[in-house]
Amino acid sequence: MDVKMVRHPSGQNLPILLDDDGLPIPLANEWVLQRRDLSPNTLTRNLRELAIFYAWLESLNIDFLARIDGDRIFTEAELAGSLCERLRLTVKVDPGQAGVAANVQGIKVAVSPLTFKLRLITVRQFISWCFRFKMAKLASGDPAFLRIQAHKEHVDKILSDQEISNPPQNKSVTKGLRDHEVVALVWCVDYRNPDAYGLNEHVRFRNFIIVMTMLNFGLRPAEVLTLRIGDIEFGSVTALRVFRRIADPNDTRSPQPRVKRNGRDIEMQVPTIINLIEEYIEIHRESVMERYGKNHDYLIISDEGDPLHGNSISNYFQIIREKFRDRLPSNLTPKSLRHTYSSRTERDMAQRGVPEDERKQILAYLRGDSSTRSQEVYISGEIIRQAATVQSKYHDVLMQNFLEYPNHE
């Protein structure tokens, strides 16, 4: 089985699941179509998870539609004892050889608890949708309706019982960059640095703008790549606007970058970053666009003037990590800049005495998140940082007493 990305005339990219003969699997792809409000990356992951489910059905010669329609139901042994075990295995290992691969060859055969949880949720949602799809064709008083409804509840209960809570984690304050690492990063990507990576001065300046935009405003890489010239409004109150847009049919990037969650307006109050972005637009971007005869309004462009691809940002961070490995941390990624922005913003608000609930709401807005729950990691991170500070002071006092203790001989 394979997952292919299909570009529609509207410009939207949608994945489809193909069987071993290269033909679409109707039910799985119809389920994806009714979830097309989600990002293409999420839908692709969902179909890859369903590919495991369909491979399991094929290995046991189970006719899925016949099971839904017929009198024979899925047993607990099939779902909990067989399907869930299949979902726990990596796709690179033959389920029948998993024991040999793990014990003899030393190959990792089990996925992480989080990966298993995501796979199980996707499969459970898909099966539940298939039952509802069938029930919608029947009258509510039809005996078949009641039988299928009972079967649906039976399956849903078994799979729900197999879900695991999030495993305990080692909490750390190093999810983002430390203060001295931020200083080092800014110097390494500074366009004035003779060792900065880039083909020419225009590319180096663009790279610097990308990093500083993510570091100053907490934008995701895709959000940076979707910015248009008109999204930055210069004036007495300069603002950067992050918009959710429909797919651009003229954007040939695959996959197209898109705003993952909420759009927002971010005021730009520091003259330095405003002047740098203005210089990039008027001088460096314009020079590249004229040289290659390009005409579009995307803010961040490639070396040849096309809209920059998302892979280019990931590759850039790999390059500078290698180039400046004695200065930059190994966990430097585009995501770490977003964590750094969030952690620093939370720290500043905590020092100002902003209540915790209000801090969550502010962080959710600034980050473009739909829920305040995702901000708890930064709240707890600041608590851990303060705890480390208190502990450090305690240790200083304790060891000072040790040093001052009279030496009796």
Side-chain angles (χ1 to χ4, degrees):
M1 293 187 185
D2 194 13
V3 178
K4 297 290 186 182
M5 189 68 69
V6 176
R7 186 179 182 84
H8 292 255
S10 63
Q12 185 176 19
N13 291 320
L14 282 176
I16 61 172
L17 179 61
L18 306 178
D19 60 18
D20 294 334
D21 296 324
L23 300 176
I25 299 178
L27 210 55
N29 293 318
E30 189 169 350
W31 181 67
V32 163
L33 283 175
Q34 57 93 31
R35 293 162 56 90
R36 64 194 304 170
D37 58 305
L38 301 177
S39 72
N41 289 341
T42 300
L43 297 178
T44 300
R45 175 177 62 81
N46 291 157
L47 286 181
R48 285 174 178 160
E49 290 161 344
L50 290 185
I52 301 173
F53 171 65
Y54 274 97
W56 172 78
L57 292 173
E58 184 178 349
S59 66
L60 297 182
N61 295 319
I62 296 176
D63 187 333
F64 182 51
L65 292 178
R67 280 292 183 96
I68 293 178
D69 292 340
D71 295 329
R72 184 180 178 184
I73 67 172
F74 282 106
T75 66
E76 186 165 1
E78 288 175 329
L79 297 177
S82 180
L83 173 59
C84 289
E85 290 306 309
R86 183 67 172 266
L87 296 177
R88 287 187 170 94
L89 298 177
T90 177
V91 295
K92 297 180 180 180
V93 174
D94 183 358
Q97 300 296 322
V100 175
N103 298 325
V104 179
Q105 301 175 5
I107 299 175
K108 179 182 177 181
V109 299
V111 298
S112 68
L114 178 59
T115 299
F116 167 71
K117 183 176 181 178
L118 292 175
R119 288 179 176 181
L120 184 60
I121 290 174
T122 298
V123 170
R124 183 167 65 87
Q125 289 177 342
F126 173 67
I127 294 177
S128 180
W129 176 83
C130 291
F131 276 113
R132 295 197 306 271
F133 180 80
K134 180 61 180 178
M135 291 163 58
K137 300 179 180 180
L138 303 173
S140 59
D142 192 325
F145 179 92
L146 300 177
R147 174 174 49 78
I148 294 175
Q149 185 180 41
H151 191 185
K152 172 184 175 298
E153 293 173 355
H154 166 75
V155 171
D156 193 64
K157 175 67 168 58
I158 293 175
L159 295 181
S160 297
D161 290 343
Q162 297 301 311
E163 287 190 13
I164 58 176
S165 59
N166 292 328
Q169 298 177 349
N170 293 320
K171 294 186 177 180
S172 171
V173 293
T174 59
K175 203 168 187 179
L177 304 182
R178 296 184 173 91
D179 292 346
H180 71 277
E181 293 172 338
V182 172
V183 174
L185 171 64
V186 173
W187 168 242
C188 290
V189 302
D190 193 328
Y191 62 94
R192 297 167 299 183
N193 181 354
D195 295 327
Y197 177 79
L199 181 64
N200 52 52
E201 61 173 330
H202 305 305
V203 175
R204 289 192 291 272
F205 204 98
R206 178 207 64 195
N207 294 340
F208 181 68
I209 290 297
I210 291 174
V211 173
M212 296 307 292
T213 301
M214 291 192 290
L215 192 57
N216 277 274
F217 306 114
L219 268 60
R220 301 175 178 90
E223 292 173 337
V224 175
L225 298 179
T226 59
L227 289 176
R228 315 285 181 91
I229 296 295
D231 294 343
I232 301 178
E233 184 177 309
F234 295 97
S236 56
V237 180
T238 301
L240 184 151
R241 292 189 167 89
V242 179
F243 285 108
R244 286 183 62 91
R245 292 184 171 94
I246 61 174
D248 181 4
N250 298 319
D251 187 356
T252 58
R253 290 176 289 184
S254 179
Q256 284 188 11
R258 55 179 291 177
V259 176
K260 187 176 181 179
R261 304 205 188 281
N262 295 337
R264 60 231 186 248
D265 290 353
I266 305 174
E267 287 190 13
M268 302 169 62
Q269 300 178 342
V270 180
T272 303
I273 188 65
I274 296 174
N275 294 336
L276 287 170
I277 293 177
E278 194 169 17
E279 179 181 346
Y280 166 72
I281 294 174
E282 295 180 354
I283 299 177
H284 301 281
R285 181 184 181 278
E286 187 65 24
S287 176
V288 176
M289 296 288 283
E290 287 184 358
R291 179 180 178 182
Y292 291 96
K294 303 295 181 177
N295 183 25
H296 59 79
D297 60 349
Y298 285 98
L299 176 66
I300 305 299
I301 59 175
S302 68
D303 302 6
E304 293 80 26
D306 296 313
L308 189 67
H309 196 281
N311 291 340
S312 298
I313 292 184
S314 300
N315 293 338
Y316 173 69
F317 276 83
Q318 292 178 2
I319 291 171
I320 63 173
R321 276 202 313 268
E322 179 64 24
K323 185 177 178 67
F324 300 102
R325 57 184 152 187
D326 57 332
R327 289 174 171 263
L328 300 180
S330 59
N331 67 326
L332 175 64
T333 62
K335 185 175 290 187
S336 68
L337 300 191
R338 182 169 163 83
H339 289 315
T340 302
Y341 166 82
S342 304
S343 300
R344 285 189 158 198
T345 303
E346 157 60 22
R347 183 191 311 176
D348 182 68
M349 290 191 294
Q351 292 173 349
R352 292 170 182 265
V354 180
E356 181 176 319
D357 289 342
E358 189 174 337
R359 300 204 305 268
K360 289 182 180 180
Q361 295 175 6
I362 294 173
L363 273 176
Y365 173 78
L366 292 175
R367 287 168 45 86
D369 289 337
S370 304
S371 170
T372 58
R373 291 185 60 186
S374 56
Q375 317 313 315
E376 293 176 358
V377 63
Y378 304 109
I379 303 293
S380 62
E382 177 59 20
I383 293 173
I384 295 171
R385 190 190 70 83
Q386 293 178 7
T389 302
V390 171
Q391 181 175 256
S392 178
K393 291 181 179 178
Y394 166 72
H395 289 166
D396 289 343
V397 173
L398 184 65
M399 298 312 295
Q400 184 64 31
N401 292 336
F402 167 76
L403 294 175
E404 293 176 353
Y405 193 78
N407 186 15
H408 296 288
E409 294 185 2

